[in-house]
Amino acid sequence: MKARILATCISIFTLMLMAACSKPNSSGTETIIKSAKAGEMTVTLSNASGNLKHGENDLMITFTDASGQPVDVGAASLTFHMAAMGSMAEMNDKAALTTTETPGKYRVQGNIPMAGTWEAQIKYQGAHGTGQTSMIVQAK
């Protein structure tokens, strides 16, 4: 009986440890996928692997000034756009952005419907004005 309880406790602890370690960006380290200028700022798209994939993606967008410090831009948006090709209609997938504890850094939940070349269109509006930028990214 004691061995069974001990085994159950160890199993539960192991599952909890695995769940904690598998959270995207749980360590706070991201690898840059792509960066682009937006006025005086740099906008960086990143995630844990440094790659986009078709399907669900957990990403970060960070707005920084010339010294590399995060800049709170207020409201921000990201849309993945693929132009029409042949008989395929253009595709636009708006990602969901949420703020983080760091002003100027946003968590992104985005779905890229297919592998290929996409344009990441980023817009912002707030205390630092209104602006936009885009970057060409590859989804595998």
Side-chain angles (χ1 to χ4, degrees):
M1 180 75 167
K2 288 182 182 180
R4 182 182 237 171
I5 292 172
L6 181 60
T8 301
C9 289
I10 291 172
S11 295
I12 290 170
F13 177 75
T14 302
L15 289 173
M16 290 172 56
L17 184 61
M18 288 172 52
C21 291
S22 67
K23 288 182 182 176
N25 297 325
S26 62
S27 67
T29 60
E30 294 96 28
T31 302
I32 295 173
I33 296 169
K34 198 84 169 216
S35 292
K37 294 296 270 178
E40 298 292 317
M41 293 179 288
T42 299
V43 182
T44 303
L45 184 64
S46 61
N47 67 6
S49 69
N51 295 302
L52 287 175
K53 63 183 190 301
H54 74 281
E56 294 296 323
N57 284 273
D58 294 315
L59 308 164
M60 298 298 279
I61 291 179
T62 307
F63 294 83
T64 54
D65 61 17
S67 66
Q69 295 301 308
V71 175
D72 186 0
V73 296
S77 68
L78 167 64
T79 301
F80 289 106
H81 170 78
M82 182 181 278
M85 293 181 281
S87 62
M88 183 184 83
E90 81 173 337
M91 290 186 274
N92 290 292
D93 186 77
K94 188 170 175 101
L97 274 66
T98 54
T99 57
T100 66
E101 294 174 0
T102 305
K105 191 170 192 173
Y106 300 81
R107 184 169 312 284
V108 180
Q109 296 289 309
N111 181 28
I112 299 178
M114 64 182 282
T117 303
W118 290 82
E119 179 184 16
Q121 301 170 334
I122 300 161
K123 296 179 181 178
Y124 62 91
Q125 181 176 6
H128 285 276
T130 300
Q132 64 183 23
T133 190
S134 65
M135 52 187 85
I136 303 300
V137 294
Q138 294 291 322
K140 298 178 181 182

